[in-house]
Amino acid sequence: MAPIDSYDHYLVARQAVQDNVANNLAPTDDQKTILIIIGVYTAAILVLWNMPFIKIVLAPFKLLTVGLHEFSHAIVGCLTCAKIESIEIDPDEGGVTRMRGGIPMCTLPAGYLGSSAIGAILVMCGFNILASKIASIFLGVCLLFTLWWAKNWLTRIIGVVFIGVMIFLWWLAHGVGLRYFVLFVGVMSCLYCLWDILDDLVFRKAYESDASKFAKLCGGCMSSRVWGVLWFFISLAFFVSGILIGLAAFKEDMQTQQQQAQGFGW
């Protein structure tokens, strides 16, 4: 009978865990609104992405996500003892990070995976006003480092403008608007990474992409397209994880969030 009792206890414990997970991921009314906003942001970004003339609305945010991509290369370079020489963003929504030294096996995938991880963190924090304020500090630090390494005026302008926007939204209504800004930047960064990976590495197979260089570094054991698909699914997992963690971690209603945010900063 002992084995049967143990199995019964196992079934009860497993059901309790499943119920707990289901309860944690069940969205509150406020979270349902955030999920709808994420859906609207996603649809708007996809519609406006290549629409003639109107796509200019997204241009500053595309450049911002390029900056986060290059920052990710640079910060991993620093962690692997590289000397960062410069970060540059160009008007065609491209960018380059120049460094000496470091570990290419780490720095090459860091652009896509790092910026998608940053996007996922911002999406997660977008479920809560206080968390959005903290995330804006993190994003501001990323931009300040990018400014430090910047070698062209466009990179500097993008950094200064978005730091200014975050300071303004932090002050406005105790940061309520900052929440939706952080959420939008997070969604934009995740989608930009996903699309850029597919566009550059899978559909067009750009030979000078990070994945192409990474494939050569690995001795050609897998093609750049295979690495692109792998990075795509990792980035997608980051995006989904950001949403799920946000649902589980931030259950406060709007009034409670505003009270918490009032005690943090302005």
Side-chain angles (χ1 to χ4, degrees):
M1 294 299 295
I4 296 177
D5 291 341
S6 298
Y7 183 69
D8 289 341
H9 288 313
Y10 162 74
L11 292 178
V12 171
R14 186 178 70 175
Q15 186 61 46
V17 170
Q18 291 175 345
D19 292 342
N20 186 50
V21 170
N23 290 333
N24 286 336
L25 295 180
T28 64
D29 291 339
D30 182 67
Q31 289 178 329
K32 289 177 182 177
T33 302
I34 295 298
L35 291 174
I36 292 172
I37 292 172
I38 290 175
V40 171
Y41 282 169
T42 301
I45 290 169
L46 294 177
V47 169
L48 295 175
W49 197 274
N50 291 312
M51 187 174 291
F53 304 111
I54 301 179
K55 67 180 181 180
I56 196 173
V57 174
L58 291 180
F61 293 95
K62 286 184 178 181
L63 294 174
L64 174 61
T65 56
V66 171
L68 294 177
H69 176 104
E70 300 305 330
F71 166 79
S72 299
H73 280 305
I75 199 66
V76 173
C78 287
L79 294 175
T80 56
C81 301
K83 177 176 175 55
I84 309 304
E85 296 181 339
S86 67
I87 288 178
E88 294 183 18
I89 301 172
D90 65 59
D92 295 325
E93 299 163 12
V96 62
T97 299
R98 296 182 176 87
M99 67 179 77
R100 289 188 284 110
I103 303 175
M105 191 72 73
C106 298
T107 57
L108 285 173
Y112 288 118
L113 301 184
S115 55
S116 60
I118 291 173
I121 292 171
L122 297 180
V123 169
M124 175 193 72
C125 293
F127 282 84
N128 181 272
I129 298 175
L130 177 58
S132 295
K133 282 190 167 185
I134 296 172
S136 70
I137 296 174
F138 167 73
L139 183 57
V141 170
C142 293
L143 292 175
L144 286 174
F145 272 107
T146 304
L147 282 172
W148 175 260
W149 290 314
K151 293 299 181 182
N152 67 330
W153 280 105
L154 180 59
T155 307
R156 296 186 181 106
I157 290 170
I158 290 296
V160 170
V161 167
F162 278 102
I163 288 174
V165 169
M166 287 189 292
I167 291 174
F168 173 74
L169 292 175
W170 181 301
W171 170 81
L172 186 66
H174 300 292
V176 174
L178 187 64
R179 175 191 196 183
Y180 302 108
F181 173 82
V182 165
L183 188 64
F184 183 82
V185 173
V187 172
M188 181 75 186
S189 184
C190 288
L191 291 181
Y192 191 90
C193 290
L194 293 172
W195 175 254
D196 206 39
I197 290 171
L198 288 177
D199 192 36
D200 285 346
L201 311 180
V202 180
F203 299 143
R204 294 192 317 213
K205 196 177 179 181
Y207 288 97
E208 292 301 318
S209 67
D210 294 338
S212 298
K213 297 174 183 177
F214 191 77
K216 293 178 182 177
L217 187 66
C218 293
C221 61
M222 291 194 296
S223 70
S224 62
R225 289 191 176 188
V226 175
W227 284 115
V229 171
L230 179 61
W231 292 356
F232 173 87
F233 283 110
I234 294 174
S235 297
L236 182 61
F238 284 158
F239 188 21
V240 174
S241 297
I243 295 174
L244 294 179
I245 295 173
L247 286 173
F250 303 115
K251 294 294 186 182
E252 299 85 0
D253 58 27
M254 180 60 74
Q255 183 178 359
T256 302
Q257 290 183 40
Q258 289 176 333
Q259 291 173 349
Q260 291 174 339
Q262 287 175 11
F264 186 80
W266 299 332

